[in-house]
Amino acid sequence: MNKKQRLRDCKLILDYQSGNTDALSILVQHWHKTFCDKAYWLVKDADVAKDIAQDSWGVIISKIGQLKNPESFGG
């Protein structure tokens, strides 16, 4: 990920932490396919990969408000 993308993601996380729920939707749109692709690479089953990605988002969303270093997201 390049510096511009990292800064964009960091801003989205900070915006979400400040109460802008739209920022989370944008972050999910940006990362969801990557999550699915990585999960598929591991399990070689598209349905299971989608479930893994969805479960991952559940954990991320529950913890993102506590993320102290937003620059570390995705890295």
Side-chain angles (χ1 to χ4, degrees):
M1 175 173 23
N2 67 38
K3 185 174 182 170
K4 184 177 178 180
Q5 291 169 327
R6 188 173 297 278
L7 289 173
R8 181 199 57 220
D9 290 346
C10 178
K11 181 178 180 339
L12 288 169
I13 291 167
L14 291 171
D15 287 351
Y16 177 72
Q17 289 175 334
S18 296
N20 179 357
T21 56
D22 291 336
L24 180 63
S25 296
I26 296 166
L27 193 67
V28 170
Q29 288 173 4
H30 174 74
W31 282 97
H32 188 70
K33 183 176 181 336
T34 301
F35 285 9
C36 288
D37 290 347
K38 298 270 185 191
Y40 181 81
W41 181 79
L42 291 169
V43 298
K44 306 295 189 245
D45 182 306
D47 291 329
V48 173
K50 289 177 187 176
D51 289 343
I52 291 169
Q54 190 66 36
D55 291 346
S56 298
W57 280 116
V59 173
I60 291 166
I61 291 167
S62 72
K63 303 287 186 181
I64 202 165
Q66 303 164 15
L67 185 62
K68 296 188 187 314
N69 185 9
E71 297 88 10
S72 66
F73 187 87

